[in-house]
Amino acid sequence: MLLSKMAAGQMLEDSWVAQMTGIYDHDKWRGYDSAYVRDYSHLWTVRLISTYKNNQFRIINVDKDGNLHRLKYSPVAPWSVGVGMNHNWLGVNASLTLPSGQDGLKDTGSQIDIIGRFYGRKIGGELRFQYFNGHYAEIRPVNPSGLGSVIPLEDSPKLNSLIISGNAMYVFNQKTYSYMGAITQTQWQRQSAGSWMVGGLLNYHSLWAHKDNSAMEKEELNLDNSQYVTLGGTAGGGYTFVFDKHYYIGGTFMAGIGANYIFLNTYSDLQDNQNFFRPSLVSVARIGIGYNSNHFFAGIQGILEGNYILMEGYDPTYIQGYLRLAVGTRLNWSSKSKVLHEMGLD
């Protein structure tokens, strides 16, 4: 029975999924050159964090009279503070939104904004789910002279939006380069190094008129609903410069081409409801700046993802990301819990 369990456990650790994620492999970083990378994922990492979120969508819209307006919304409460922890494969952050710095663009009835990051042995990336109910958009006229009044936020129709997005990257140089050394604090990049990368992204974005809008407001906005589905491939690289052993600046940049399926449904007779494909330019950038040592770390990490759809007359652009300040320490604490042991968190 014991030999059977050991064989099953070894098969699990040797599986492709286990090698990619490193969840069950306690020695998952043995492939690194210790002179370049030191791993601390086995320790309990705790930190204080302050985060600035960014979420922005822009598109040129045609009102009921045929006039062009640039519609821009960013319904994210930007600042939050909280705490976070990492241990083995698990990482959690919890934060509270600060009321300061919000304006009409963030004045939503309700919202959900969840960001998940997954960083394995060879593959890393981010997932994000966002839902905003009843937010406003900035509406500016578009004309050759550049003249025209901006519609006040409180007078503009309300919108709802749903965004589900994810991206992933594969790192080729796992011998001397750790992208987590600059993006998270579970590793320490001790000497400068870099790597080529390939990846991809998948986004779903839906924007529709709020149910409380009057018929006149809906006609003025001339937007019933729109949906965008994006599938893209990216390539690029990452590099981390290390100064005086402890100070670093680095990150990754990847860019590529995306294919977009677009559905537009308007109120105006000037336009038919449309379903079509369009190409786009996509990009994912990450940055990390800070200080690292055996027990203490402090730094700034950020990510910015963009999708620039090549759609003449509309120019839809979607940008999302965040910038985070983190200060923390690592604790060599062992748990005797059988539950944590079974989960790979002992």
Side-chain angles (χ1 to χ4, degrees), residues 83-311:
V83 296
M85 61 79 60
N86 281 84
H87 181 59
N88 287 349
W89 58 268
L90 178 65
V92 178
N93 293 309
S95 59
L96 297 175
T97 299
L98 297 178
S100 61
Q102 299 187 48
D103 54 31
L105 295 178
K106 291 90 180 175
D107 186 17
T108 60
S110 59
Q111 61 178 277
I112 301 174
D113 189 1
I114 301 173
I115 301 173
R117 302 187 297 179
F118 59 97
Y119 296 131
R121 183 177 180 182
K122 302 176 182 179
I123 295 178
E126 289 84 20
L127 297 170
R128 191 167 186 176
F129 176 86
Q130 301 170 296
Y131 170 71
F132 305 104
N133 176 30
H135 60 80
Y136 296 108
E138 180 184 89
I139 302 176
R140 291 181 175 273
V142 177
N143 53 57
S145 65
L147 301 177
S149 59
V150 178
I151 299 176
L153 291 173
E154 61 273 13
D155 295 335
S156 64
K158 289 185 177 181
L159 299 169
N160 289 351
S161 56
L162 171 67
I163 301 103
I164 303 173
S165 62
N167 69 80
M169 60 181 178
Y170 178 86
V171 181
F172 287 99
N173 176 20
Q174 301 138 28
K175 185 71 174 178
T176 62
Y177 173 67
S178 166
Y179 65 93
M180 287 188 285
I183 308 303
T184 73
Q185 278 73 38
T186 57
Q187 293 181 356
W188 177 9
Q189 182 79 46
R190 296 171 57 81
Q191 296 187 49
S192 300
S195 175
W196 296 108
M197 301 176 180
V198 295
L201 56 83
L202 176 63
N203 292 338
Y204 172 77
H205 178 202
S206 180
L207 176 68
W208 67 99
H210 192 268
K211 64 179 181 179
D212 291 342
N213 291 337
S214 66
M216 182 178 297
E217 286 177 324
K218 291 180 179 179
E219 289 183 4
E220 184 68 29
L221 181 63
N222 192 31
L223 173 67
D224 186 11
N225 65 79
S226 64
Q227 300 179 60
Y228 305 82
V229 181
T230 305
L231 178 63
T234 57
Y239 200 91
T240 300
F241 296 93
V242 179
F243 310 94
D244 195 24
K245 295 184 180 181
H246 296 282
Y247 301 92
Y248 65 89
I249 176 171
T252 69
F253 178 77
M254 306 178 70
I257 302 296
N260 300 265
Y261 176 74
I262 301 171
F263 170 80
L264 294 178
N265 186 12
T266 65
Y267 283 93
S268 173
D269 294 334
L270 298 174
Q271 300 167 283
D272 296 328
N273 296 334
Q274 303 179 60
N275 299 270
F276 45 82
F277 287 92
R278 288 291 186 275
S280 66
L281 303 177
V282 297
S283 63
V284 181
R286 303 173 182 85
I287 188 172
I289 303 171
Y291 173 91
N292 222 333
S293 66
N294 287 328
H295 301 289
F296 175 78
F297 58 84
I300 300 173
Q301 310 94 40
I303 179 172
L304 189 65
E305 179 179 329
N307 185 25
Y308 313 93
I309 302 175
L310 305 178
M311 183 177 167

